[in-house]
Amino acid sequence: MKPSLVIDSDIVTANINKMAEKCKRLGLEWRPHFKTHQSKTIGRWFRTFGVSGITVSSIEMARFFAEDGWTDITIAFPVDCSRMIELEALSEITQLTMITSSLKALEQLSEAHFKQRPHLLIEVDPMNGRSGVDIEDTSALEDLVDRASSLKTVVYKGFYAHAGQTYKGRSAEDVLAIVAPVLRRLHTLKARFPGSVICFGDTPSCSLTDDIDIATQTSPGNLVFYDWIQTRIGSCTPADIGIAMKCTVIELFPKRNQFLIHGGAIHFSKDADVTEDGKPYYGVVAESKGNGWGNPLEGAFLSSISQEHGMVSCTKAYLETLNVGDEIFVLPIHSCLTADCMGGYIDLDGNQIDHFSSVRS
Amino acid sequence: MKPSLVIDSDIVTANINKMAEKCKRLGLEWRPHFKTHQSKTIGRWFRTFGVSGITVSSIEMARFFAEDGWTDITIAFPVDCSRMIELEALSEITQLTMITSSLKALEQLSEAHFKQRPHLLIEVDPMNGRSGVDIEDTSALEDLVDRASSLKTVVYKGFYAHAGQTYKGRSAEDVLAIVAPVLRRLHTLKARFPGSVICFGDTPSCSLTDDIDIATQTSPGNLVFYDWIQTRIGSCTPADIGIAMKCTVIELFPKRNQFLIHGGAIHFSKDADVTEDGKPYYGVVAESKGNGWGNPLEGAFLSSISQEHGMVSCTKAYLETLNVGDEIFVLPIHSCLTADCMGGYIDLDGNQIDHFSSVRS
């Protein structure tokens, strides 16, 4: 069979439930980032856990979910005012939240014609070095908040911050050490702008600390599936990973303890972790169990990929159990990109589950 | 605007013409690999240069092109006999060529029911370490050829070899040094199995040497577009790159000589080249010129990407020319994966061009 991305819905709903419970306990509004699963079907699973506001990464993804009845959507990518017509149209069917750190964007927003006034969060950069205004640049922040608050076309609400540097951690201790200075600065921000919303929290921090309760809202998304890199970061255990790629064994190479699977870069993406000796790898084989998968197999990993080819390096003992035509399960390095490449899922019973990327072009 | 992958059809047709002429001169049949462009529209451009046989990387891609009238298709991925029903159905509408290095696959093929008997190439591994039987394992090769020749369901034709190690070269000299021992072994193979077809030739070797004329057929595909990594390998110049991503400038960061574009891992893929100091980068900015692009800009490159965010590092001088909302062009590292991520193109006049990945799910 061709490669298929399989969902274990028990694991996925347990992951959703765990974060929903944590947010309730901490008094946080969870607005899960749907860019990980990008699925209307999976999106609906969140509703039963009390989720009503969501986060997406593009205007077209916002439309996709708005058309499935989501009426409260944050687009967590700096607003692109060259697409105002699309944003105005979206504001007719959903309550948008936009983010920006650009005075020019605020000027352009002041001339927009929205049906429902979008909420606006100023994006602050919490020492991540990606988008947003430096969280310590108080003067720039005040200018932005003042200008945003004066706009008639949008409603200033507060701040959005993404600390992507937590992904560099390789243990819970690492992540906590990385996030600690961010949390201190968020406390300062909160004290300086009382009453402002703070939206903060990525999958590593939200999985590993209660101190995210400095935030008002949080939007981690990856934890719906988790993935191999999250086990390496320390955010989860392999048993929490809710998706795996089912691939057919094509050829066996006993001399080099390797085998070829159908499953390559267009299925997994080229996102990699690195071995202890600095070599990239693209996934980890898990034992087959029932109609799904179980524990990761020691020393069986996707050591190279090209467009459709995947080469698994493994132990002699494991290789001897395999035959051409067998199907194996591979835990992806980065579930968001793997799901985006695949454009769809099946559940353990073989039912199809939708994904936005198969319809977005 | 959202990111769009733009084709300069003059460059693309010049690339096709150049390779078509070279193959004519060398007496080689060019069966271009369509996994790079995956487009019915672009596929048709090849017909005017005398191409009638093509190469693809999957059964579903073979069907896609067979349905557009291609009646002679090599699937250059080891045949997956668990999908015999699909292969049998395909054999009703096209002349298939299959590759394998598995005796078990040959056994399974012996029981298939094909409408048109597929051609069969034994895949040899020319010191690449991916798929195929070791090119120097004469005993295994003889067994495979004997068994393949005895089959009534398929027609044994010869050998298929892919020397992916040429992609490790970083100059024409490198590539020639890497391919030389492969060519010597192909000569030995040809002498041992006279009359057998040899299909050989990747984009670096086909771009850089006439000595590929040891082959009967050749199937390079990337050269339809080329890309940044091919300029680094030495296969082409930047002026030969036929596609570029058009991205909107979202935010400027003058303090760090960077700017944010809309364009990330789901657009470019995570395939990377590395800078001299070992840091990955994901594309190179080219100057805008007319409604397309011109030369690459010195020191302006995509230094980090996440799902939708792209961060460009550049010179102060270039940054000062930019405004939020401008559109820039980025040359991709690896055009095959970028095209697969995007699932479609536009030409310089804005006309849509199809891609298989937008319809394959």
Side-chain angles (χ1 to χ4, degrees), chain A residues 1 35 38 57 78 82-83 101 104 129-130 251 256 266 270-271 306-309 311 324 340, chain B residues 1-2 35 38 57 78 82 101 104 129-130 251 256 266 270-271 306-309 311 324 340:
Chain A
M1 296 304 301
K35 79 181 169 81
Q38 297 186 54
S57 56
S82 71
R83 302 177 66 180
S101 65
K104 181 174 176 188
R130 195 175 70 174
E251 288 185 49
R256 43 182 159 110
I266 64 166
K270 283 289 286 260
D271 230 345
S306 45
Q307 190 157 335
E308 306 250 5
H309 296 69
M311 190 61 68
V324 167
D340 194 80
Chain B
M1 296 305 300
K2 65 179 180 179
K35 79 181 170 81
Q38 297 184 55
S57 56
S82 71
S101 65
K104 181 173 176 187
R130 195 175 70 174
E251 289 185 48
R256 42 184 160 112
I266 64 166
K270 283 289 286 260
D271 230 347
S306 44
Q307 189 157 336
E308 305 250 5
H309 295 69
M311 190 60 68
V324 167
D340 193 80

Side-chain angles (χ1 to χ4, degrees), chain A residues 7-79:
Chain A
I7 286 189
D8 186 322
S9 57
D10 287 346
I11 298 176
V12 169
T13 50
N15 291 341
I16 298 171
N17 180 53
K18 193 172 169 187
M19 189 62 200
E21 289 298 319
K22 180 169 184 170
C23 286
K24 264 181 226 162
R25 179 166 58 79
L26 297 178
L28 271 168
E29 183 196 358
W30 185 24
R31 301 173 64 87
H33 211 317
F34 276 19
K35 79 181 169 81
T36 299
H37 62 77
Q38 297 186 54
S39 166
K40 287 180 179 173
T41 306
I42 299 171
R44 287 175 214 136
W45 298 354
F46 284 78
R47 290 192 197 275
T48 56
F49 297 95
V51 168
S52 60
I54 65 170
T55 304
V56 300
S57 56
S58 69
I59 295 171
E60 49 273 32
M61 205 186 299
R63 172 159 290 282
F64 178 75
F65 286 110
E67 287 172 352
D68 203 46
W70 292 94
T71 55
D72 183 6
I73 303 178
T74 300
I75 303 177
F77 184 89
V79 60

